[in-house]
């Protein structure tokens, strides 16, 4: 039996009532039923990260409680109880036919596959609302593989990546005496991404850089040239010195070993750490595309659920896939083409790869610098990409009912009788109250 046949046979009465009102009400009711959670679970056979945690988290937590950060525990348990009616719900009722619906509260966790979508769209709008109407370039600042472990062993060091990028872009772009005297600034948005497609630790910074400098008086000067050899070396030395100073102050016992590594890296990476910033990105052609690309990494788990191939709870194994970065731009007949890689491992190992990328509480993955900084008093004499009315309209599209309609094509507040259901406080349950009112 198909999903459609199941709905037509199981919910015949509701659909007949809706059909008697109008085709619009019938289609709304059918789409609502089509997307009910228990029906999706029955027919879609999708492996979700929430289901993996539901089945495995309690045992994993008890075995590793002394190693888990508080932010990890909170985020994972928020996901487990996302849209759980025991954690609260709001009710809507129809005054014409006494029909009612319940909507459970979501977790609003960035790590949640469901709630992260709204967070991503909101952050993307926030980024775009800051940008002035000039061309922007997408930079990626990477670090040597030998350094990556430090940023997970001492998570405060992740702040140093932002500082090093800020130092590099600021000090290599504002160089003339006139620009310094007029307090010219470069504007850019930086985002920390801590994993690669293979889920291995790979902290690096994405930066969306305005190709313009702005003075303290707001004068705008176009700036397109970036000296990459200078950028690479400056970033490397800045980051290594910041890390050395951090260890000297916070973990002096590790300083000697790090300094040995530091001088080795300087000798090995004679051209500096790799920085990627093509003038024209064929994949990301608009500011919106780039803002979405940057924001999405802070709004979902380290792996998309579509990449999870299979899971066997009995044998405690999971299989997932990824496409190597080396294949980007290559065709399948290229001798260097590797193709999709499949990884089979224990569920515990998979969970570890997911949770180590959850940031600490209050850690900001997206930060603004230069004339885009929140504290900056510089007001560029050039319009922004988005007008205030456009920003308001885009944010209004993030409302619950609008998101549901745009995604699943139904209004949750239209009753099967065609009436508009209204909020019913007496049937709603708010956990802070402890009871139904």
């Amino acid at each position: 039996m198909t999903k459609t046949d199941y709905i037509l046979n199981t919910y015949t009465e509701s659909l007949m009532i809706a059909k008697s009102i109008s085709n619009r009400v019938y289609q709304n009711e059918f789409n609502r039923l089509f997307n009910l959670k228990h029906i999706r679970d029955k027919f879609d056979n999708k492996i979700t990260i929430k289901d993996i945690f539901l089945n495995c988290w309690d045992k994993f937590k008890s075995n590793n409680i002394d190693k888990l950060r508080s932010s990890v525990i909170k985020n994972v348990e928020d996901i487990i109880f996302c849209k759980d009616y025991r954690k609260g719900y709001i009710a809507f009722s129809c005054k014409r036919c006494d029909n009612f619906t319940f909507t459970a509260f979501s977790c609003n966790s960035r790590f949640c596959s469901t709630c992260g979508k709204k967070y991503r769209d909101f952050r993307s709008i926030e980024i775009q609302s800051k940008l002035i109407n000039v061309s922007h370039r997408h930079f990626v600042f990477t670090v040597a593989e030998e350094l990556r472990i430090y940023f997970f062993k001492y998570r405060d060091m992740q702040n140093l990546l932002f500082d090093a990028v800020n130092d590099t872009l600021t000090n290599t772009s504002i160089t003339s005496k006139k620009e310094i005297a007029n307090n010219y600034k470069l504007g850019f948005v930086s985002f920390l991404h801590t994993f690669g497609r293979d889920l291995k630790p790979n902290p690096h910074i994405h930066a969306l850089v305005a190709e313009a400098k702005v003075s303290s008086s707001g004068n705008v000067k176009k700036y397109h040239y970036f000296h990459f050899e200078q950028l690479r070396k400056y970033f490397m030395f800045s980051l290594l010195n910041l890390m050395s100073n951090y260890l000297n102050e916070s973990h002096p016992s590790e300083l000697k070993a790090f300094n040995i590594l530091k001088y080795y890296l300087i000798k090995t990476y004679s051209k500096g750490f790799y920085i990627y910033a093509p003038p024209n990105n064929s994949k990301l052609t608009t500011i919106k595309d780039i803002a979405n690309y940057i924001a999405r990494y802070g709004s979902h788990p380290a792996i998309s659920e579509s990449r999870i191939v299979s899971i066997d709870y009995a044998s405690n194994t999971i299989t997932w896939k990824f496409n190597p970065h080396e294949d980007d731009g290559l065709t399948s007949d290229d001798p260097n083409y590797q193709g999709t890689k499949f990884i089979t491992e224990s569920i515990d190992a998979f969970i570890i790869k997911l949770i180590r990328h959850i940031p600490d509480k209050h850690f900001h993955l997206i930060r603004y610098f230069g004339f885009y900084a929140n504290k900056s008093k510089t007001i560029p004499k050039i319009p922004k990409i988005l007008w205030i009315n456009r920003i308001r309209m885009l944010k209004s599209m993030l409302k619950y009912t609008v998101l549901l309609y745009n995604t699943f094509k139904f209004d949750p507040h239209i009753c099967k009788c065609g009436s508009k259901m209204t909020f019913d406080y007496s049937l709603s349950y708010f956990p802070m109250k402890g009871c139904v009112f």
Side-chain angles (χ1 to χ4, degrees):
M1 181 181 292
T2 65
K3 190 175 180 179
T4 299
D5 291 337
Y6 177 83
I7 293 171
L8 293 175
N9 292 332
T10 307
Y11 298 97
T12 305
E13 183 179 350
S14 294
L15 291 171
M16 288 181 63
I17 294 173
K19 184 70 174 178
S20 67
I21 304 301
S22 69
N23 288 333
R24 182 181 67 87
V25 175
Y26 172 82
Q27 193 62 53
N28 189 83
E29 181 67 9
F30 179 85
N31 290 344
R32 184 186 71 82
L33 295 171
F34 195 84
N35 288 285
L36 288 175
K37 185 179 184 305
H38 72 276
I39 293 180
R40 285 188 282 115
D41 291 344
K42 182 180 180 69
F43 287 93
D44 294 351
N45 297 319
K46 183 180 179 181
I47 303 170
T48 67
I49 290 174
K50 178 178 179 178
D51 289 337
I52 294 173
F53 283 128
L54 274 169
N55 284 280
C56 306
W57 177 247
D58 287 341
K59 183 179 178 181
F60 180 88
K61 180 182 175 182
S62 63
N63 292 338
N64 300 277
I65 189 63
D66 57 325
K67 302 175 184 176
L68 294 173
R69 291 174 288 128
S70 59
S71 60
V72 169
I73 296 174
K74 182 182 186 308
N75 273 277
V76 172
E77 294 184 351
D78 281 349
I79 293 169
I80 291 174
F81 292 108
C82 183
K83 297 188 182 299
D84 189 316
Y85 288 94
R86 293 171 296 180
K87 296 296 181 179
Y89 53 83
I90 56 175
F92 287 83
S93 59
C94 177
K95 295 180 180 179
R96 179 190 292 181
C97 66
D98 294 329
N99 186 28
F100 55 86
T101 63
F102 298 111
T103 302
F105 295 137
S106 57
C107 66
N108 293 322
S109 170
R110 291 180 294 177
F111 190 61
C112 178
S113 299
T114 302
C115 301
K117 168 69 167 62
K118 181 177 179 179
Y119 175 84
R120 183 199 72 192
D121 291 344
F122 178 80
R123 295 310 305 176
S124 177
I125 294 170
E126 285 291 295
I127 293 172
Q128 294 176 69
S129 69
K130 288 261 189 184
L131 306 182
I132 60 175
N133 194 19
V134 299
S135 58
H136 286 69
R137 190 179 295 194
H138 178 205
F139 281 75
V140 182
F141 292 81
T142 67
V143 301
E145 186 174 354
E146 294 88 342
L147 293 177
R148 295 173 185 173
I149 188 62
Y150 283 96
F151 298 101
F152 292 88
K153 186 176 182 180
Y154 307 115
R155 301 189 77 90
D156 285 348
M157 294 184 83
Q158 292 180 3
N159 291 300
L160 304 182
L161 289 166
F162 289 101
D163 295 339
V165 170
N166 183 28
D167 289 345
T168 301
L169 288 174
T170 300
N171 294 324
T172 58
S173 61
I174 313 299
T175 55
S176 71
K177 292 182 179 180
K178 184 177 180 180
E179 288 177 343
I180 295 173
N182 289 287
N183 196 25
Y184 271 87
K185 293 181 179 178
L186 199 66
F188 53 97
V189 185
S190 296
F191 173 73
L192 174 63
H193 183 197
T194 60
F195 52 89
R197 295 178 186 175
D198 56 2
L199 301 187
K200 292 179 181 178
N202 182 16
H204 55 280
I205 294 285
H206 290 263
L208 188 58
V209 183
E211 293 187 323
K213 304 175 186 178
V214 181
S215 69
S216 56
S217 59
N219 295 322
V220 178
K221 182 166 67 173
K222 296 295 180 66
Y223 179 72
H224 300 285
Y225 176 73
F226 294 90
H227 194 299
F228 275 86
E229 184 177 349
Q230 184 184 26
L231 282 171
R232 292 179 63 170
K233 289 183 178 179
Y234 199 105
F235 175 65
M236 179 180 70
F237 281 106
S238 177
L239 180 61
L240 290 174
N241 288 334
L242 287 169
M243 294 176 70
S244 181
N245 292 337
Y246 172 88
L247 291 174
N248 184 41
E249 294 177 5
S250 304
H251 306 281
S253 61
E254 296 224 17
L255 183 60
K256 182 178 180 180
F258 177 79
N259 282 337
I260 294 173
L261 175 61
K262 173 182 173 180
Y263 296 122
Y264 166 78
L265 293 175
I266 291 173
K267 183 178 180 180
T268 303
Y269 293 86
S270 58
K271 295 182 179 181
F273 294 155
Y274 180 67
I275 296 176
Y276 176 75
N280 295 303
N281 192 321
S282 58
K283 291 185 178 180
L284 305 171
T285 56
T286 68
I287 296 298
K288 180 181 177 181
D289 289 336
I290 299 174
N292 284 335
Y293 176 80
I294 291 175
R296 75 186 181 94
Y297 286 109
S299 57
H300 67 70
I303 185 173
S304 168
E305 291 175 342
S306 62
R307 289 169 53 195
I308 302 175
V309 178
S310 64
I311 189 168
D312 187 340
Y313 293 110
S315 62
N316 191 42
T317 58
I318 186 170
T319 300
W320 54 277
K321 62 183 179 180
F322 72 95
N323 295 317
H325 275 290
E326 293 79 4
D327 285 355
D328 291 352
L330 300 180
T331 58
S332 57
D333 56 352
D334 192 295
N336 295 318
Y337 184 78
Q338 300 180 38
T340 302
K341 301 288 186 182
F342 290 83
I343 306 294
T344 299
E345 60 188 351
S346 71
I347 297 176
D348 285 1
F350 179 75
I351 290 176
I352 290 172
K353 289 180 178 179
L354 291 183
I355 64 176
R356 67 184 169 196
H357 299 294
I358 296 177
D360 287 337
K361 187 176 181 180
H362 303 310
F363 184 86
H364 295 284
L365 292 171
I366 300 176
R367 305 185 188 184
Y368 302 88
F369 296 91
F371 61 78
Y372 284 146
N374 294 326
K375 294 182 179 180
S376 175
K377 296 181 181 180
T378 301
I379 302 176
K381 295 178 180 179
I382 190 171
K384 294 187 176 182
I385 290 176
L386 299 180
W387 294 95
I388 186 65
N389 290 338
R390 174 68 175 170
I391 295 170
R392 288 172 180 166
M393 187 276 289
L394 289 173
K395 288 185 176 180
S396 70
M397 300 290 286
L398 299 181
K399 293 180 180 178
Y400 171 72
T401 52
V402 178
L403 282 174
L404 267 185
Y405 188 82
N406 289 338
T407 306
F408 301 112
K409 305 304 178 186
F410 75 91
D411 185 337
H413 300 151
I414 293 181
C415 181
K416 61 186 176 184
C417 71
S419 297
K420 189 80 171 180
M421 290 191 284
T422 57
F423 172 65
D424 194 329
Y425 186 82
S426 64
L427 293 178
S428 301
Y429 168 51
F430 300 94
M432 68 288 293
K433 302 291 184 182
C435 57
V436 176
F437 290 88

